[in-house]
Amino acid sequence: EGRRAKELDPLSPPLAQGEGMAYVLGSRPELAVPVLRAATEKFPDYYFPYSWLGLALARSGQVDEGIAAGQRAMQLAPGNVLVESFLGMTYAAAGKREEARQMADRIASRPGDAIPYTYLARRYAGAGSRSHSPGKPPNSRRRIRNMPASSPIC
């Protein structure tokens, strides 16, 4: 269905990256890289494929190039919490835990953004933290429990 939709609407940025996203989420980042590169070439001013490309590259072992793609997404969409989150995941996938933690801290410190606690907890888990609480929301636990850093989105 996704390929058919892409044929029907070849100018849609979300459809251009959809196949690559599926590969990343399916733990096949090496297959995602060419698809996401094509999406960034087709839509060079659209931030989202760069975020996914950065994560795919880092998970494929192309760490420096992955971080550069994530930073390009930040340039295209400064202050976008989703882009910041993806860059944090890219740092975590690259084994750069301190940088990943800094991104999680940056996201946690932003006033006014509605960020689900569990979503932010996963960013900290990806950075290697199992006991950090990003500010205690009502009715939450102080410790992050059973949050594997290897979950598909961390």
Side-chain angles (χ1 to χ4, degrees):
E1 290 294 318
R3 287 191 181 118
R4 177 82 174 121
K6 206 161 73 169
E7 290 170 9
L8 293 173
D9 189 4
L11 299 178
S12 170
L15 290 176
Q17 73 188 20
E19 185 180 359
M21 292 166 47
Y23 284 135
V24 172
L25 293 173
S27 300
R28 299 296 306 267
E30 69 284 352
L31 297 176
V33 170
V35 173
L36 294 166
R37 277 193 207 282
T40 61
E41 290 166 7
K42 192 171 194 177
F43 304 102
D45 296 325
Y46 182 48
Y47 68 90
F48 209 42
Y50 287 98
S51 291
W52 281 97
L53 177 60
L55 186 57
L57 287 164
R59 287 185 176 177
S60 296
Q62 301 172 63
V63 173
D64 293 335
E65 199 174 346
I67 291 169
Q71 290 171 338
R72 175 67 179 139
M74 291 271 293
Q75 291 171 346
L76 292 170
N80 183 311
V81 70
L82 184 60
V83 172
E84 291 174 354
S85 179
F86 264 85
L87 184 55
M89 289 187 289
T90 299
Y91 283 134
K96 296 184 175 285
R97 289 187 170 199
E98 183 56 35
E99 291 88 342
R101 184 178 180 85
Q102 288 172 3
M103 290 306 299
D105 287 343
R106 179 177 172 159
I107 293 166
S109 70
R110 293 170 54 128
D113 279 338
I115 303 164
Y117 179 70
T118 55
Y119 182 81
L120 188 56
R122 282 188 162 179
R123 302 295 81 76
Y124 280 107
S129 176
R130 296 288 185 271
S131 62
H132 182 79
S133 175
K136 186 175 190 275
N139 302 320
S140 68
R141 294 186 176 160
R142 292 298 293 172
R143 290 185 54 82
I144 301 168
R145 297 177 194 262
N146 302 322
M147 187 67 66
S150 62
S151 77
I153 205 71
C154 282

